[in-house]
Amino acid sequence: MGELSRQLPISRPAVSQHLRVLKDGGLVVGRAEGTRRVYQLNPEGILALRAYLDGIWDNALTAFQKAAEADQTDL
């Protein structure tokens, strides 16, 4: 977390809060290494997020296609 805090324009407590939200959402996992806490991406969480976003994208494209096809019948 210290490395992130030094590279970001936000406070160390803010970085900690963001990491906690990401951890609660299953996107990162953390482990203790001595006095430090090391975080890394959680592959399963990233795959779940990807599937969710793909679903949104697919729904948007389907809706766009239906709208485009409906406009063609009005011509």
Side-chain angles (χ1 to χ4, degrees):
M1 181 175 54
E3 291 177 36
L4 283 174
S5 299
R6 286 189 293 276
Q7 296 179 24
L8 297 171
I10 59 175
S11 68
R12 191 176 178 126
V15 170
S16 178
Q17 184 178 9
H18 283 83
L19 286 170
R20 188 174 313 114
V21 169
L22 292 171
K23 185 177 177 187
D24 290 347
L27 297 175
V28 299
V29 292
R31 69 179 186 285
E33 278 190 8
T35 59
R36 296 177 33 184
R37 190 115 189 114
V38 177
Y39 291 89
Q40 66 185 47
L41 291 176
N42 177 4
E44 291 88 17
I46 299 299
L47 287 174
L49 177 61
R50 171 73 190 266
Y52 173 76
L53 293 174
D54 284 347
I56 290 174
W57 184 243
D58 289 344
N59 290 340
L61 288 176
T62 299
F64 179 76
Q65 180 181 12
K66 287 179 182 178
E69 289 171 351
D71 285 347
Q72 290 297 318
T73 60
D74 292 339
L75 295 177

